[in-house]
């Protein structure tokens, strides 16, 4: 299942969708996420509803940025048993110090002190099912995306928040996680 970042649609993750599809894996998108502008809790509820209504099990979530926050929260809720693992790419698990300076509630919700970020930081049990992949330098998340207790943290020798999506190492991690 594909979970885009803020202001993105699922089409933004096309390189990963193609990689999964070429390996014979079904790919699902949650159309109700739209451009992922709602609060993380509402996005996680949409993911949960999709999982339950579709009856999906053994799901691999592939998420970019805010999509990883919604995915992690969904993995702690009533549909947790439906999700096997998540590949989170450039996800601000600890927030971003720049968030408080950004316009609008949607982006300020990435502040390290925002209740949704604090709540997710406390949900430690689910971290062991998450592989976090992130760039050496991410101008949007200067703190990085390392996740304590993660199944695996992969720091890629590149820069950027978006360019990493098509990086060969990300493709290798999606392939490995989809086959495990």
């Amino acid at each position: 299942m594909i979970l885009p970042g803020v202001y993105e649609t699922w089409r933004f993750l096309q390189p990963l969708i193609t990689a999964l599809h070429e390996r014979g894996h079904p790919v699902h998108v949650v159309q109700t996420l739209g451009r992922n502008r709602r609060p993380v809790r509402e996005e996680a509820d949409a993911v949960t509803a999709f999982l339950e209504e579709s009856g999906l099990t053994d799901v691999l979530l592939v998420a970019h940025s805010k999509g990883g926050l919604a995915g992690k929260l969904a993995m702690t809720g009533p549909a947790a048993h439906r999700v096997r693992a998540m590949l989170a790419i450039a996800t601000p698990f600890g927030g971003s110090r720049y968030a408080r300076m950004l316009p609008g509630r949607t982006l300020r919700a990435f502040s390290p002190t925002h209740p949704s970020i604090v709540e997710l930081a406390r949900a430690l049990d689910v971290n062991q099912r998450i592989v976090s992949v992130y760039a050496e330098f991410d101008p949007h998340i200067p703190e990085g995306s390392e996740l304590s207790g993660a199944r695996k943290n992969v720091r890629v020798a590149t820069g950027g928040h978006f360019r990493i999506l098509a990086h060969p190492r990300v493709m290798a991690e999606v392939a490995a996680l989809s086959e495990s």
Side-chain angles (χ1 to χ4, degrees):
M1 179 179 298
I2 303 299
L3 305 177
V6 68
Y7 300 133
E8 300 169 10
T9 69
W10 62 268
R11 293 183 197 319
F12 206 79
L13 295 153
Q14 189 63 52
L16 297 166
I17 292 168
T18 300
L20 286 165
H21 183 73
E22 286 175 351
R23 286 176 174 72
H25 298 288
V27 178
H28 301 273
V29 297
V30 184
Q31 294 286 353
T32 57
L33 291 179
R35 292 194 174 271
N36 201 353
R37 293 175 36 191
R38 295 176 290 177
V40 171
R41 167 72 57 200
E42 289 180 31
E43 300 292 346
D45 290 346
V47 171
T48 297
F50 185 89
L51 287 167
E52 291 178 342
E53 290 166 10
S54 302
L56 297 173
T57 58
D58 197 36
V59 172
L60 170 62
L61 301 178
V62 178
H64 178 241
S65 195
K66 182 184 178 187
L69 299 177
K72 181 178 176 182
L73 190 55
M75 291 171 74
T76 68
H81 66 283
R82 297 182 179 280
V83 179
R84 176 173 42 89
M86 178 170 67
L87 178 70
I89 307 151
T91 296
F93 290 112
S96 171
R97 64 177 164 242
Y98 296 141
R100 69 178 183 278
M101 296 178 268
L102 298 171
R105 285 187 326 215
T106 299
L107 296 176
R108 282 196 300 270
F110 295 113
S111 169
T113 59
H114 191 276
S116 64
I117 298 293
V118 172
E119 176 186 0
L120 282 170
R122 290 185 183 131
L124 299 175
D125 292 347
V126 71
N127 291 2
Q128 64 192 356
R129 295 189 294 150
I130 299 172
V131 173
S132 181
V133 182
Y134 51 96
E136 220 170 52
F137 172 72
D138 185 330
H140 299 319
I141 314 168
E143 298 83 0
S145 297
E146 186 166 330
L147 181 64
S148 179
R151 176 175 178 168
K152 187 177 187 184
N153 282 292
V154 180
R155 185 175 171 191
V156 179
T158 190
H161 189 72
F162 302 100
R163 184 174 21 173
I164 192 170
L165 287 169
H167 193 280
R169 182 63 191 266
V170 173
M171 298 302 171
E173 292 299 331
V174 93
L177 202 51
S178 68
E179 302 301 325
S180 67

